[in-house]
Amino acid sequence: MSTIVSPLPKLYENASDFMPLLGTDYLEFYVSNSKQTAHFYKSTMGFKSLAHSGLETGNRETESYVVVQDKIVLVFTSPLRSGTDIGRHIDKHGDGVKVIALWVPDAKKAYEEAMKRGAKSYLEPVEESDDHGKVIRAGIYTYGEVVHIFVERKEYNGIFLPGFKKWDSHFETESVGLKYVDHMVGNVDLGMMNEYVKFYEEVMGFANILSFDDNDISTEFTALMSKVMSNGNGRIKFPINEPAEGKKKSQVDEYLEFYEGEGVQHVAMATDDIVRTVTQMRDRGIEFLRVPDTYYDDLLDRVGEIQEDIEALKPLGILVDRDEEGYLLQIFTKTVQARPTMFFEIIQRRGATSFGKGNFKALFVALEKEQELRGTL
Ligand code: FE2
């Protein structure tokens, strides 16, 4: 088991190759009830039971459930007692992403290269093994309390990681067609975006491939700035957002207030058939942001010919944008936990390698409508 070959083998030559990354390995969420959270992802988004670690596997500290859909592996972890660091994390941030794990050919080397360049250590290289081989992991901090764990699994053929057992469940649902993690976005404090751009450039060898300023991303009320960082093979993309001055509180400000710090704002998951994926997720209870129907009035004038029927996109609220290389279809869910913090994006790329700049305004107006309902605009 492991991840990812994105269908976008675009190479970014200004990225450095001292830290080869093969793809996203897994995302770990710290949540207050991992058992129920895993069930939510199975029932609403078509993830399948993969692995489990907890009391039944001899783990007295945490209860972790792992689910999978194609190349996407999500881990949900809760503490088994009070007074733990995970419990403190949940008390402060609510449910959220703690670990963005990266699949690497050599975890020790990735860690050493990062440390040499000024990274802050989270986990010194550790080798874990069981009957199925060995895995080496090491970790560093990025923005907020989020960490990157480098995972080397070339000598491992177990279900997930040593310490985990196969999770056999009598309840499985049909996949909704989610394929791989396209990108993961971080919200950082005002003035910090360029610090993290520097971190990804210097410590991890990433390149800044796109930038948006508050002229690109602003509405009547709020604004934000964003820079997209990519590794050399284009498989790992991390846009970094920071709030910009606006008349009211921006969506990034709202996130920072309720997450009580910097963290992962959204995870974009790719599909080959966005109409089917979004229809199924909606039928199973996922709520999506809606743009006004007028968005579709002049859509074809803006994006040109597309394969999809606009009448199929409209009732679902799916957005379309074009760049020099093709077009993309995308939609945001509403936030998926108690606090108005993290959400998902569903994206289908038909050639386009960008991020839907043409949709930002429509999307942010839709986001602000939600903020207004919460009284946090
Ligand atoms: Fe996105």
Side-chain angles (χ1 to χ4, degrees), residues 186-375:
N187 278 343
V188 303
D189 289 333
L190 185 61
M192 290 304 287
M193 178 179 68
N194 286 327
E195 294 297 311
Y196 290 108
V197 165
K198 220 169 85 184
F199 165 85
Y200 279 108
E201 282 173 349
E202 291 176 1
V203 172
M204 299 190 62
F206 281 41
N208 176 206
I209 59 166
L210 274 174
S211 299
F212 307 102
D213 64 20
D214 46 346
N215 293 319
D216 298 314
I217 316 182
S218 69
T219 67
E220 192 186 345
F221 296 122
T222 67
L224 66 85
M225 297 189 289
S226 188
K227 288 189 176 175
V228 183
M229 305 307 294
S230 175
N231 78 321
N233 63 20
R235 289 183 196 169
I236 311 286
K237 294 196 204 73
F238 296 140
I240 308 286
N241 296 335
E242 78 171 26
E245 292 292 326
K247 283 187 214 146
K248 293 195 176 179
K249 193 192 288 176
S250 79
Q251 46 157 313
V252 180
D253 288 315
E254 187 198 35
Y255 177 100
L256 294 168
E257 180 186 330
F258 281 93
Y259 200 70
E260 296 192 19
E262 301 173 336
V264 173
Q265 179 212 39
H266 75 265
V267 176
M269 302 188 286
T271 170
D272 291 339
D273 184 351
I274 196 166
V275 171
R276 177 176 89 86
T277 298
V278 172
T279 300
Q280 292 190 355
M281 288 173 70
R282 220 169 74 133
D283 288 350
R284 298 186 196 183
I286 293 292
E287 300 172 307
F288 290 95
L289 284 186
R290 288 307 306 262
V291 293
D293 278 355
T294 50
Y295 172 87
Y296 296 92
D297 291 349
D298 55 353
L299 181 63
L300 292 185
D301 299 336
R302 279 180 281 133
V303 303
E305 274 297 295
I306 57 170
Q307 292 177 43
E308 291 73 17
D309 180 1
I310 298 243
E311 291 311 311
L313 304 179
K314 198 167 166 178
L316 298 170
I318 293 167
L319 310 178
V320 190
D321 194 29
R322 185 176 285 280
D323 64 19
E324 309 76 51
E325 292 157 290
Y327 68 96
L328 62 83
L329 305 110
Q330 65 187 161
I331 190 167
F332 287 178
T333 70
K334 293 187 182 180
T335 53
V336 293
Q337 59 288 302
R339 298 193 198 185
T341 50
M342 206 207 71
F343 58 88
F344 289 95
E345 173 182 344
I346 309 301
I347 185 166
Q348 180 177 5
R349 294 187 180 276
R350 291 206 184 270
T353 55
S354 59
F355 290 82
K357 178 175 157 183
N359 290 326
F360 285 171
K361 187 153 183 171
L363 272 169
F364 296 150
V365 170
L367 275 167
E368 282 163 14
K369 256 194 340 214
E370 297 294 313
Q371 260 184 281
E372 205 171 1
L373 289 173
R374 294 191 282 261

Side-chain angles (χ1 to χ4, degrees), residues 45 58 63 78 153 157 169 174 176 207 239 247 292 325 342 345:
M45 298 195 205
E63 199 70 29
S78 298
R153 50 168 76 251
N157 61 12
S169 167
E174 196 195 329
V176 300
K247 283 187 214 146
E325 292 157 290
M342 206 207 71
E345 173 182 344

